[in-house]
Amino acid sequence: MTMTSLDEQARAILRGNDQGGYTLPTHGLYPYQWNWDSAFAAWGFATFDNARAWDELDTLMASQWDTGMVPHIIFHKPDPGYFPGPDVWQTGQSPATSGITQPPVAAIMARKVWEMDPKAGQARMAALYPKLLAWHRWWHEVRCTHGPAAITHPWESGRDNCPDWDIGMAGVDGSSAGEYQRRDTGHVNPEMRPTKQDYDRYIAMVKFGCSVDWDQARIVRDGPFLMADPGITFMLLRADEDLAVMGRALGEDVTELLGWAEDLRAALPTIWNDDLHAYDALNLKTGEFANILGSGAFMAYLADAGNPQLDAQLMRVWDKVNYGIPSADPEAATFDPRKYWRGPTWPVVNALLAIGLRDAGRADLAERLRAQTASLIRKHGFYEYFDPLDATPCGGADFTWTAAIWLTWAGRDVESDAVRGAA
Ligand code: 9WN
């Protein structure tokens, strides 16, 4: 299979998943618009249709709540193939949305899209800027009250069932979930998906949100789950700084944004676990660290927050596998190479890490990661995630963000990366 044919396949996947203004992650398994998936889709579209890239971001931000939160799913058209659907979330939004958010990578991706065609993107960016700013304000005012960025549901992290959340999940009573029918396990191999116990707890948390009318202050204060997420903390920090670059280019006063970024950077020691020699997830309800190394910690490079101890941890976990960065520590007892976020490698996370490594002056490591990610896609196609030991493709096929990552990064050699804004 030639490079060109994979480029064509990737573009065909983006077009095939395009619903007119927004893109599904993949047909069947995920039949709606997802927040951070859309941001990556925009980056992918920008390689061949810059206007369509901005449309994707516009559609996402059009469902922003009055509070500034941008929901993790937008249920544009009813689809019985996904659970939990809008009837379970009951957020009263139109179009219907979930009641939680997802990693704030939209500003990071908007900056890339803009830099790929600054002239064409100027007006589009100006229109988007206040919405992104309001979303960041929401993150800082509502979710950084303990310092680092906190999540109230594992789905917010985008790394749903990673071992980072096990200690927080243990405190969630899943018995209120009641009877329900999962749909995900009918689309893909159930062994590669979260367990029934996980789902009971996920649904119990959704029910808690409904019970307080999605009042964020109450969810943070009284909800069953509250953990600091290193991954989101670093992505938000990077996104603040990228948004400030765009703000300056628009002639905006970015003092507030830079203040948020400074506060967040000052809070990083809170999530540094000395025993683990790494950043770690922290249960804000008990003050306990998760004591497990996850791929969220490595997002530190995105925010210029790497250090020699983290470098050593990165090389340790990377050298234990053959393809990409594992989502969880391969030397931990909880490691499972095919179970979703408990071990598999995710092209989209590899791409974010490579951006950080490149910025940290480690182009050699970024290239190693790119080559490994490309080999997974060349071997098996545009899967959702892969076994990092033997490259087995996992989860959904013809996946939007994997196709986008191919077009922007994994399928590019070092020279063309710069052209596509991946540097
Ligand atoms: C819940 C769409 C999403 C991704 C997440 C990934 C998975 C959903 C699910 O799919 O989560 O949000 O139903 O499993 O974990 O990162 O955004 O691709």
Short mmCIF file of all heavy atoms in Angstrom, two decimals, residues 144-171:
data_model
loop_
_atom_site.label_atom_id
_atom_site.label_comp_id
_atom_site.label_asym_id
_atom_site.label_seq_id
_atom_site.Cartn_x
_atom_site.Cartn_y
_atom_site.Cartn_z
N CYS A 144 -10.69 24.46 38.37
CA CYS A 144 -9.32 24.55 38.91
C CYS A 144 -9.35 25.12 40.32
O CYS A 144 -8.38 25.73 40.78
CB CYS A 144 -8.42 25.38 37.99
SG CYS A 144 -8.23 24.66 36.36
N THR A 145 -10.47 24.92 41.01
CA THR A 145 -10.61 25.49 42.36
C THR A 145 -9.64 24.85 43.35
O THR A 145 -9.35 25.43 44.39
CB THR A 145 -12.06 25.31 42.86
OG1 THR A 145 -12.45 23.96 42.60
CG2 THR A 145 -13.02 26.25 42.17
N HIS A 146 -9.14 23.64 43.04
CA HIS A 146 -8.16 22.99 43.93
C HIS A 146 -6.74 23.20 43.41
O HIS A 146 -5.80 22.60 43.93
CB HIS A 146 -8.43 21.50 44.03
CG HIS A 146 -9.72 21.14 44.71
ND1 HIS A 146 -10.95 21.36 44.14
CD2 HIS A 146 -9.96 20.59 45.92
CE1 HIS A 146 -11.89 20.95 44.96
NE2 HIS A 146 -11.32 20.48 46.06
N GLY A 147 -6.58 23.96 42.34
CA GLY A 147 -5.26 24.15 41.73
C GLY A 147 -5.22 23.52 40.35
O GLY A 147 -5.52 24.18 39.34
N PRO A 148 -4.89 22.21 40.26
CA PRO A 148 -4.88 21.56 38.94
C PRO A 148 -6.31 21.38 38.41
O PRO A 148 -7.27 21.56 39.15
CB PRO A 148 -4.22 20.20 39.22
CG PRO A 148 -4.34 19.98 40.69
CD PRO A 148 -4.46 21.32 41.35
N ALA A 149 -6.43 21.00 37.15
CA ALA A 149 -7.76 20.82 36.56
C ALA A 149 -8.37 19.52 37.06
O ALA A 149 -7.74 18.46 37.05
CB ALA A 149 -7.64 20.79 35.04
N ALA A 150 -9.63 19.62 37.51
CA ALA A 150 -10.31 18.46 38.07
C ALA A 150 -11.40 17.97 37.14
O ALA A 150 -12.04 18.75 36.44
CB ALA A 150 -10.91 18.83 39.42
N ILE A 151 -11.62 16.66 37.17
CA ILE A 151 -12.73 16.06 36.42
C ILE A 151 -13.75 15.50 37.40
O ILE A 151 -13.39 15.07 38.51
CB ILE A 151 -12.25 14.97 35.44
CG1 ILE A 151 -11.45 13.87 36.17
CG2 ILE A 151 -11.41 15.58 34.33
CD1 ILE A 151 -11.20 12.63 35.32
N THR A 152 -15.02 15.49 36.96
CA THR A 152 -16.09 14.97 37.82
C THR A 152 -16.64 13.65 37.27
O THR A 152 -17.59 13.10 37.83
CB THR A 152 -17.24 15.99 37.92
OG1 THR A 152 -17.78 16.19 36.60
CG2 THR A 152 -16.76 17.32 38.48
N HIS A 153 -16.08 13.20 36.17
CA HIS A 153 -16.48 11.93 35.56
C HIS A 153 -15.29 11.47 34.72
O HIS A 153 -14.69 12.29 34.02
CB HIS A 153 -17.71 12.18 34.65
CG HIS A 153 -18.39 10.91 34.21
ND1 HIS A 153 -17.74 9.94 33.47
CD2 HIS A 153 -19.66 10.46 34.39
CE1 HIS A 153 -18.59 8.94 33.23
NE2 HIS A 153 -19.76 9.23 33.79
N PRO A 154 -14.93 10.17 34.78
CA PRO A 154 -13.79 9.70 33.98
C PRO A 154 -13.92 10.02 32.48
O PRO A 154 -12.92 10.24 31.80
CB PRO A 154 -13.76 8.20 34.21
CG PRO A 154 -14.35 8.03 35.58
CD PRO A 154 -15.44 9.09 35.64
N TRP A 155 -15.15 10.06 31.96
CA TRP A 155 -15.33 10.37 30.53
C TRP A 155 -14.80 11.76 30.19
O TRP A 155 -14.47 12.04 29.04
CB TRP A 155 -16.81 10.27 30.14
CG TRP A 155 -17.29 8.86 29.96
CD1 TRP A 155 -16.52 7.77 29.69
CD2 TRP A 155 -18.64 8.40 30.01
NE1 TRP A 155 -17.31 6.65 29.58
CE2 TRP A 155 -18.61 7.00 29.77
CE3 TRP A 155 -19.87 9.01 30.24
CZ2 TRP A 155 -19.77 6.22 29.75
CZ3 TRP A 155 -21.03 8.23 30.22
CH2 TRP A 155 -20.98 6.85 29.97
N GLU A 156 -14.73 12.65 31.19
CA GLU A 156 -14.22 13.99 30.89
C GLU A 156 -12.74 13.96 30.51
O GLU A 156 -12.27 14.81 29.75
CB GLU A 156 -14.41 14.92 32.10
CG GLU A 156 -15.87 15.21 32.38
CD GLU A 156 -16.09 16.38 33.33
OE1 GLU A 156 -15.44 16.41 34.39
OE2 GLU A 156 -16.91 17.26 33.00
N SER A 157 -12.02 12.99 31.06
CA SER A 157 -10.57 12.93 30.80
C SER A 157 -10.27 12.51 29.37
O SER A 157 -9.17 12.70 28.89
CB SER A 157 -9.91 11.93 31.75
OG SER A 157 -10.30 10.61 31.39
N GLY A 158 -11.26 11.88 28.71
CA GLY A 158 -11.02 11.30 27.39
C GLY A 158 -10.28 9.97 27.50
O GLY A 158 -10.18 9.23 26.54
N ARG A 159 -9.75 9.66 28.70
CA ARG A 159 -8.99 8.41 28.93
C ARG A 159 -9.81 7.56 29.92
O ARG A 159 -9.37 7.22 31.01
CB ARG A 159 -7.60 8.74 29.50
CG ARG A 159 -6.76 9.60 28.58
CD ARG A 159 -5.39 9.90 29.17
NE ARG A 159 -5.46 10.73 30.35
CZ ARG A 159 -4.98 10.37 31.55
NH1 ARG A 159 -4.40 9.21 31.72
NH2 ARG A 159 -5.09 11.18 32.59
N ASP A 160 -11.00 7.25 29.47
CA ASP A 160 -12.10 6.82 30.33
C ASP A 160 -11.77 5.83 31.46
O ASP A 160 -12.04 6.11 32.62
CB ASP A 160 -13.20 6.20 29.46
CG ASP A 160 -13.62 7.13 28.33
OD1 ASP A 160 -13.11 8.26 28.26
OD2 ASP A 160 -14.44 6.71 27.51
N ASN A 161 -11.27 4.65 31.10
CA ASN A 161 -11.11 3.62 32.15
C ASN A 161 -9.64 3.41 32.52
O ASN A 161 -9.27 2.33 32.96
CB ASN A 161 -11.72 2.29 31.69
CG ASN A 161 -10.92 1.69 30.55
OD1 ASN A 161 -10.23 2.40 29.83
ND2 ASN A 161 -11.03 0.38 30.37
N CYS A 162 -8.81 4.43 32.33
CA CYS A 162 -7.39 4.24 32.66
C CYS A 162 -7.25 4.02 34.16
O CYS A 162 -8.09 4.47 34.96
CB CYS A 162 -6.54 5.42 32.18
SG CYS A 162 -6.91 6.95 33.00
N PRO A 163 -6.20 3.30 34.57
CA PRO A 163 -6.05 2.97 36.00
C PRO A 163 -5.96 4.22 36.89
O PRO A 163 -6.20 4.13 38.10
CB PRO A 163 -4.75 2.17 36.05
CG PRO A 163 -4.56 1.64 34.66
CD PRO A 163 -5.17 2.66 33.74
N ASP A 164 -5.63 5.38 36.30
CA ASP A 164 -5.56 6.62 37.09
C ASP A 164 -6.82 6.84 37.92
O ASP A 164 -6.77 7.41 39.01
CB ASP A 164 -5.45 7.86 36.17
CG ASP A 164 -4.29 7.82 35.20
OD1 ASP A 164 -3.95 6.73 34.72
OD2 ASP A 164 -3.74 8.89 34.89
N TRP A 165 -7.95 6.42 37.37
CA TRP A 165 -9.23 6.75 38.02
C TRP A 165 -9.71 5.66 38.98
O TRP A 165 -10.75 5.82 39.62
CB TRP A 165 -10.33 7.06 36.99
CG TRP A 165 -9.87 7.95 35.87
CD1 TRP A 165 -10.07 7.75 34.53
CD2 TRP A 165 -9.10 9.17 35.97
NE1 TRP A 165 -9.46 8.75 33.81
CE2 TRP A 165 -8.86 9.63 34.66
CE3 TRP A 165 -8.59 9.90 37.04
CZ2 TRP A 165 -8.13 10.79 34.39
CZ3 TRP A 165 -7.85 11.05 36.78
CH2 TRP A 165 -7.64 11.49 35.48
N ASP A 166 -8.98 4.55 39.08
CA ASP A 166 -9.48 3.42 39.88
C ASP A 166 -9.80 3.81 41.33
O ASP A 166 -10.83 3.40 41.87
CB ASP A 166 -8.47 2.26 39.88
CG ASP A 166 -8.41 1.55 38.53
OD1 ASP A 166 -9.14 1.95 37.59
OD2 ASP A 166 -7.61 0.60 38.39
N ILE A 167 -8.93 4.61 41.94
CA ILE A 167 -9.20 4.93 43.37
C ILE A 167 -10.44 5.82 43.50
O ILE A 167 -11.18 5.70 44.47
CB ILE A 167 -7.98 5.58 44.09
CG1 ILE A 167 -7.51 6.85 43.40
CG2 ILE A 167 -6.85 4.59 44.28
CD1 ILE A 167 -6.53 7.67 44.25
N GLY A 168 -10.66 6.69 42.54
CA GLY A 168 -11.86 7.54 42.59
C GLY A 168 -13.11 6.74 42.27
O GLY A 168 -14.16 6.91 42.91
N MET A 169 -12.99 5.82 41.32
CA MET A 169 -14.13 4.99 40.93
C MET A 169 -14.55 4.07 42.08
O MET A 169 -15.73 3.76 42.24
CB MET A 169 -13.76 4.14 39.71
CG MET A 169 -13.73 4.92 38.42
SD MET A 169 -15.38 5.22 37.77
CE MET A 169 -15.63 3.71 36.82
N ALA A 170 -13.57 3.66 42.89
CA ALA A 170 -13.90 2.76 44.01
C ALA A 170 -14.86 3.42 44.99
O ALA A 170 -15.62 2.75 45.69
CB ALA A 170 -12.61 2.35 44.73
N GLY A 171 -14.86 4.75 45.01
CA GLY A 171 -15.76 5.46 45.92
C GLY A 171 -17.13 5.75 45.32
O GLY A 171 -17.96 6.42 45.96
#
